[in-house]
């Protein structure tokens, strides 16, 4: 089960789906306010979004499941995994946390309160959005509300101390990511009683695009090692 970054959509993970099929069934969450859900209200509270995602996937307990989230999606994956744990469902076989500092490592930020131009500048800085889209006023009018809501959700999020997962965690990060230091990424080990590994890539916030083959290889290898790579096996 894949969870996109702030402003991202389910289609971001199509390369993962294409690469892992048919051994792994890849599902991706489509947040409200974008693409085929663009007419639905945005959700600007991360806990509410995690509740809705959990409600949508809680019936998928008939097979092993792994969670992969990038940036905001990593925090959502963590919160969804906690909800699975609290509900007594089988825990994720693994959490893949990409491009995000550990939930306990907070950086004050109020980007969601800034003018549109400042948000666009940040999207350009992170290089995760097509430059042509950012130069098109009509497209910006459509995507900025969703981006602003996502930034508000992740910037106002605070983790609950003392709650820990019991599943393995694989942390993926770029060595030049302005949003995450290597130390902040390594701190994910404080959020699970299971084993944690840290994989550092050369690159910035969207290192996983430049290193997609290696990232997907790591995901496939970890799932196969845990017996989650048989046909009709895991959902990632």
């Amino acid at each position: 089960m894949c969870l996109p970054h702030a402003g991202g959509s389910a289609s971001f993970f199509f390369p993962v789906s294409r690469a892992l099929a048919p051994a792994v069934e890849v599902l991706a969450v489509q947040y409200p306010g974008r693409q085929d859900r663009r007419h639905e209200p945005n959700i600007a509270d991360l806990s509410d979004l995690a509740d809705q995602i959990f409600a949508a996937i809680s019936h998928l307990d008939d097979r092993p499941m792994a969670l992969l989230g990038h940036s905001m999606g990593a925090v959502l994956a963590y919160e969804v995994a906690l909800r699975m744990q609290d509900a007594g469902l089988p825990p994720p076989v693994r959490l893949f946390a990409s491009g995000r500092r550990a939930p306990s490592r907070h950086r004050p930020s109020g980007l969601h309160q800034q003018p549109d131009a400042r948000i666009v500048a940040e999207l350009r800085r992170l290089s995760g959005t097509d430059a042509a889209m950012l130069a098109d006023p009509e497209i910006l009018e459509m995507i900025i509300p969703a981006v602003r809501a996502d930034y508000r959700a992740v910037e106002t999020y605070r983790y609950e101390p003392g709650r820990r997962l019991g599943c393995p965690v694989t942390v993926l990060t770029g060595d030049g990511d302005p949003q995450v230091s290597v130390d902040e990424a390594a701190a994910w080990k404080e959020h699970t009683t299971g084993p944690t590994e840290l994989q550092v890539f050369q690159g910035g916030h969207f290192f996983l695009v430049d290193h997609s083959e290696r990232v997907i290889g790591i995901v496939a290898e970890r799932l196969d090692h845990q017996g989650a790579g048989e046909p009709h096996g895991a959902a990632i």
Side-chain angles (χ1 to χ4, degrees), residues 34-53:
R34 64 217 72 199
Q35 291 190 346
D36 55 315
R37 301 186 68 185
R38 65 186 180 278
H39 298 302
E40 298 181 38
N42 295 300
I43 299 176
D45 183 277
L46 195 135
S47 292
D48 288 347
L49 190 52
D51 286 342
Q52 292 197 28
I53 294 170

Side-chain angles (χ1 to χ4, degrees), residues 21-106:
V24 177
E25 180 183 2
V26 178
L27 307 176
V29 175
Q30 187 77 291
Y31 306 140
R34 64 217 72 199
Q35 291 190 346
D36 55 315
R37 301 186 68 185
R38 65 186 180 278
H39 298 302
E40 298 181 38
N42 295 300
I43 299 176
D45 183 277
L46 195 135
S47 292
D48 288 347
L49 190 52
D51 286 342
Q52 292 197 28
I53 294 170
F54 172 71
I57 71 168
S58 58
H59 68 287
L60 301 174
D61 60 351
D62 61 334
R63 69 192 76 179
M65 178 182 291
L67 299 174
L68 185 159
H70 181 66
S71 195
M72 181 184 79
V75 183
L76 273 170
Y78 165 73
E79 285 292 330
V80 170
L82 286 174
R83 284 157 174 74
M84 293 170 65
Q85 189 168 280
D86 292 346
L89 297 178
V93 295
R94 185 171 291 267
L95 171 67
F96 295 91
S98 169
R100 182 68 190 181
R101 54 192 175 271
S104 57
R105 297 303 189 263
H106 175 66

Side-chain angles (χ1 to χ4, degrees), residues 102-121:
S104 57
R105 297 303 189 263
H106 175 66
R107 290 190 190 184
S109 177
L111 187 62
H112 71 278
Q113 299 173 317
Q114 298 298 312
D116 291 356
R118 177 67 184 85
I119 293 178
V120 172

